[in-house]
């Protein structure tokens, strides 16, 4: 660290130093947490517009470390992606989701569970195989597992071809794919064209400005029509109010997710919601 520089340089490098330390600490603690299966999963329900019932939930990772405290997914996931630990988080989440599907199935509930994954994770040659192995090991029906995929960056053509193949393999076994964060990021239209997806999930940044902006209203309506014209299911996330829900339903959204229905909650609380 530079001693004699101006104040700004010193404080900048101190900040950088601190960030690097935190990253290293998170990586170290995360490895241990994964080893001890010390991560938790919350589930956020989705309402099917036609049946007005909860038919699917999204699994979201939660981590509170003894030393660091709570690490939010927005901090955790980018670090996990950088260090490669994202694959371990993915396996953990899938296993939890499969176990949960079976617990609900035994209680007479057929709930679909989705897990989040980066398109990039499908570059791993073993990704599809290891997902199928987890399904086989747990006995979870593939038709109840969905994978929400996102990608912030462009993929080279070669990687895209390989990834598409892996996804097709899973699709043939009954797993379905949701294109997450639709409308943001680099590849929405391209991924919509090449990947075997069956649902668009429109990003919550659109929902949050829906009532304030006529442009957003036209955009969201357009995205819903686009999805429909491609015979995809369309879900809106980040729905916080009845007004937003009504408008999105009037556009033809098939399902609604957000604080208006429920925040992400533990599995047992999902069951309580279902009984209501
Ligand atoms: P996402 O997949 O777009 O998930 C939606 C995020 O919005 C979640 O944040 C959820 O708690 C939050 N949310 C839900 N409803 C509302 C609402 O009505 N209003 C607002 N303002 N927010 C709402 P969370 O759980 O903090 O996750 C953030 C992101 O981290 C996720 O965005 C996802 O990209 C990533 N993530 C979370 N869990 C996992 C995981 O297990 N694996 C991977 N690869 N990524 C994950
Ligand atoms: Ca998601
Ligand atoms: Ca999103
Ligand atoms: Ca996301």
């Amino acid at each position: 660290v530079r001693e004699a520089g101006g104040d700004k340089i010193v404080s900048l490098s101190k900040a950088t130093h601190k960030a690097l330390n935190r990253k290293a600490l998170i990586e170290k603690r995360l490895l241990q947490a994964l080893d001890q299966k010390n991560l938790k999963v919350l589930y956020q329900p989705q309402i099917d517009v036609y049946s007005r019932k909860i038919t699917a939930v999204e699994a979201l990772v939660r981590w509170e470390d003894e030393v660091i405290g709570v690490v939010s997914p927005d901090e955790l996931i980018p670090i996990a992606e950088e260090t490669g630990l994202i694959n371990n988080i993915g396996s953990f989440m899938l296993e939890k989701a499969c176990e949960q599907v079976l617990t609900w199935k035994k209680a007479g509930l057929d709930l679909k569970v989705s897990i989040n994954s980066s398109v990039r994770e499908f570059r791993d040659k073993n990704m599809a195989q290891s997902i199928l192995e987890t399904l086989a090991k747990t006995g979870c029906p593939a038709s109840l597992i969905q994978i929400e995929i996102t990608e912030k960056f462009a993929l080279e053509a070669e990687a895209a071809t390989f990834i598409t193949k892996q996804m097709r393999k899973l699709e043939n076994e009954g797993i379905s794919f949701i294109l997450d964060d639709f409308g943001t990021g680099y590849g929405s239209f391209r991924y919509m064209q090449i990947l075997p997806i069956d649902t668009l999930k429109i990003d919550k940044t659109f929902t949050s400005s829906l009532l304030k902006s006529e442009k957003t209203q036209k955009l969201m309506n357009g995205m819903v029509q686009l999805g429909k014209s491609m015979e995809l299911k369309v879900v809106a996330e980040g729905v916080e109010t009845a007004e937003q829900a009504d408008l999105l339903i009037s556009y033809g959204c098939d399902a609604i997710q957000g604080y208006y229905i429920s925040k992400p909650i533990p599995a047992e609380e999902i069951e309580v919601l279902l009984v209501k």
Side-chain angles (χ1 to χ4, degrees), residues 65-208:
D65 182 67
E66 291 166 4
V67 176
I68 321 177
V70 173
V71 181
S72 75
D74 287 329
E75 183 178 21
L76 172 67
I77 299 300
I79 294 176
E81 280 176 350
E82 233 177 275
T83 55
L85 289 174
I86 194 67
N87 293 311
N88 307 53
I89 293 183
S91 316
F92 171 84
M93 295 297 287
L94 177 64
E95 205 172 307
K96 285 284 180 188
C98 288
E99 287 166 6
Q100 195 53 57
V101 162
L102 285 177
T103 303
W104 280 327
K105 220 172 166 10
K106 279 180 197 142
L109 306 166
D110 262 358
L111 270 184
K112 287 191 180 186
V113 177
S114 66
I115 58 163
N116 288 281
S117 158
S118 146
V119 176
R120 234 143 247 270
E121 288 177 61
F122 285 89
R123 278 180 163 181
D124 180 343
K125 285 191 291 297
N126 303 315
M127 178 80 169
Q129 195 52 41
S130 106
I131 290 174
L132 293 176
E133 276 165 18
T134 303
L135 289 175
K137 190 181 80 186
T138 56
C140 173
S143 61
L144 293 178
I145 293 290
Q146 298 184 298
I147 302 180
E148 307 197 358
I149 54 166
T150 350
E151 181 57 66
K152 291 177 194 75
F153 308 101
L155 287 176
E156 326 77 80
E158 214 176 298
T161 310
F162 178 76
I163 287 166
T164 309
K165 263 197 205 131
Q166 295 250 343
M167 288 174 63
R168 285 249 157 76
K169 186 168 164 188
L170 293 172
E171 192 197 26
N172 287 337
E173 298 295 326
I175 290 182
S176 49
F177 289 94
I178 298 170
L179 190 52
D180 205 358
D181 299 337
F182 186 72
T184 68
Y186 184 90
S188 289
F189 291 130
R190 181 159 150 71
Y191 294 132
M192 200 176 169
Q193 243 181 329
I194 62 174
L195 302 179
I197 52 162
D198 97 337
T199 302
L200 295 183
K201 188 182 266 193
I202 303 176
D203 193 64
K204 64 176 184 293
T205 50
F206 296 102
T207 310
S208 72

